[in-house]
């Protein structure tokens, strides 16, 4: 389960002065409304649970807590809790994987689980309290760990692949070779990265590829086979070889036939 860490966000504070005249006392009354905003970038691994918290305001001071969820071009989902009366409402919220973490009058956090790639977007918790308005805004990034494979494709050439990662992984080789990268982009936002490397130096026997990603790092090693030698013959030589094989087969066939008929004749003579 992933919990938000507001300390990683950017804190900006604003103060607004509201002035109203009291005609009976003929003087100006000033009330200071405090506003605080925290912006948080939150990476979350796909298929896990995430809990997004609201500004830590004393529950007795809270009037209204509102979650606004913006996912791509979809209509915003609005979840609201009013302290008096203790009432919950929602608008355009159809994803059952997003719910209140606990009783919103005590812990007005939002729970997402399991997290899917489609949950990437912006999440805003606004708390209207007696002491002012407070806002936490999350930019949720969904991470997908790639599947790493390493294999030899041909003579002294190896292929390292990081399949369907989000974001794209990085690949490096030890020792360095003559490498060609390739990228394949999928509709769900994942990327397959492939690096094909060749080592002409016959002294290199074992190579390793390292894959770097936000979800972790992997290393794979493989031994380069020397490869089979391919013998190339001229066409005339091939025809000669084919002729010799056909001649040998014909001789064997004739010999077997002679032996067969000779045994038949021997059997008839005995009768």
């Amino acid at each position: 389960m992933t919990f938000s860490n507001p300390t990683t966000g950017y804190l900006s504070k604003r103060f607004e002065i509201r002035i109203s005249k009291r005609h009976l006392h003929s003087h100006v009354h000033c009330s200071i409304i405090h506003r605080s905003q925290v912006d948080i970038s939150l990476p979350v691994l796909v298929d896990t649970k995430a809990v997004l918290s609201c500004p830590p305001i004393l529950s007795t001071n809270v009037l209204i807590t509102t979650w606004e969820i913006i996912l791509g071009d979809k209509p915003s989902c609005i979840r609201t809790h009013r302290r008096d009366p203790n009432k919950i409402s929602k608008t355009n919220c159809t994803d059952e994987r997003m719910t209140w973490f606990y009783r919103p009058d005590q812990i007005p956090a939002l729970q997402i689980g399991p997290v899917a790639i489609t949950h990437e977007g912006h999440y805003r918790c606004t708390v209207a309290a007696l002491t002012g308005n407070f806002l936490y805004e999350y930019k949720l990034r969904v991470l997908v760990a790639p599947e790493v494979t390493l294999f030899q494709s041909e003579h002294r050439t190896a292929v390292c692949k990081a399949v369907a990662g989000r974001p794209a992984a990085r690949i490096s080789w030890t020792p360095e070779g003559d490498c060609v990268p390739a990228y394949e982009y999928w509709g769900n936002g994942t990327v397959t990265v492939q690096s094909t490397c060749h080592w002409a130096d016959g002294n290199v026997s074992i190579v390793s590829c390292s894959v770097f990603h936000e979800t972790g790092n992997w290393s794979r090693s493989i031994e380069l086979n020397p490869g089979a030698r391919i013998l190339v013959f001229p066409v005339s030589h091939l025809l000669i070889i084919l002729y010799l094989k056909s001649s040998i087969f014909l001789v064997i066939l004739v010999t077997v036939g002679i032996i067969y008929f000779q045994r038949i004749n021997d059997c008839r003579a005995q009768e």
Side-chain angles (χ1 to χ4, degrees):
M1 183 175 293
T2 304
F3 291 88
S4 62
N5 184 7
T7 60
T8 61
Y10 172 75
L11 178 63
S12 60
K13 294 183 178 180
R14 293 175 293 180
F15 297 91
E16 176 183 315
I17 300 179
R18 294 181 179 177
I19 302 177
S20 60
K21 291 184 178 181
R22 291 187 177 180
H23 300 282
L24 294 179
H25 300 281
S26 299
H27 72 275
V28 176
H29 172 72
C30 297
S31 61
I32 299 179
I33 305 300
H34 176 78
R35 291 186 177 183
S36 176
Q37 177 175 338
V38 177
D39 300 324
I40 305 164
S41 178
L42 183 64
V44 180
L45 187 63
V46 71
D47 293 331
T48 62
K49 287 186 178 182
V51 175
L52 282 62
S53 63
C54 289
I57 307 301
L58 190 64
S59 60
T60 55
N61 291 334
V62 174
L63 301 175
I64 302 175
T65 301
T66 302
W67 274 102
E68 182 182 7
I69 303 167
I70 305 172
L71 305 178
D73 56 355
K74 297 180 181 179
S76 298
C77 164
I78 307 295
R79 291 180 177 271
T80 304
H81 171 259
R82 295 178 179 272
R83 179 168 170 263
D84 187 19
N86 188 9
K87 182 180 179 181
I88 297 175
S89 62
K90 61 181 181 179
T91 305
N92 296 326
C93 302
T94 58
D95 193 339
E96 296 181 355
R97 292 168 294 183
M98 291 188 290
T99 59
W100 294 99
F101 174 67
Y102 188 60
R103 290 178 49 181
D105 59 330
Q106 297 183 10
I107 305 177
L110 182 71
Q111 176 176 277
I112 311 172
V115 174
I117 294 178
T118 54
H119 289 140
E120 186 165 287
H122 294 269
Y123 297 76
R124 298 178 185 142
C125 179
T126 303
V127 178
L130 297 175
T131 54
N133 297 330
F134 303 85
L135 171 65
Y136 274 6
E137 181 167 352
Y138 296 85
K139 182 180 180 181
L140 188 71
R141 298 188 302 113
V142 180
L143 308 180
V144 180
E147 181 181 351
V148 179
T149 60
L150 173 63
F151 59 92
Q152 184 170 346
S153 63
E154 56 186 26
H155 180 54
R156 303 194 62 77
T157 300
V159 178
C160 185
K161 297 181 70 174
V163 180
R166 181 185 175 97
R170 294 186 299 107
I171 298 178
S172 66
W173 290 90
T174 305
E176 295 183 355
D178 184 11
C179 304
V180 177
Y183 300 88
E184 187 173 5
Y185 297 87
W186 302 96
N188 60 359
T190 60
V191 184
T192 295
V193 182
Q194 174 177 303
S195 179
T196 304
C197 279
H198 177 74
W199 291 265
D201 186 0
N203 294 325
V204 177
S205 59
I206 298 178
V207 297
S208 300
C209 81
S210 298
V211 177
F212 304 95
H213 195 261
E214 286 190 56
T215 59
N217 302 323
W218 298 266
S219 180
R220 301 286 188 272
S221 299
I222 192 172
E223 184 176 0
L224 295 177
N225 295 327
R229 298 181 61 186
I230 302 176
L231 302 179
V232 180
F233 298 96
V235 176
S236 58
H237 289 184
L238 293 176
L239 292 176
I240 293 173
I241 294 174
L242 181 61
Y243 175 76
L244 291 175
K245 288 184 176 181
S246 301
S247 300
I248 293 173
F249 176 74
L250 183 59
V251 170
I252 294 174
L253 184 62
V254 171
T255 302
V256 172
I258 293 173
I259 295 174
Y260 175 75
F261 284 109
Q262 185 176 359
R263 288 185 176 180
I264 292 178
N265 292 334
D266 291 342
C267 291
R268 289 178 178 176
Q270 290 177 3
E271 292 178 356

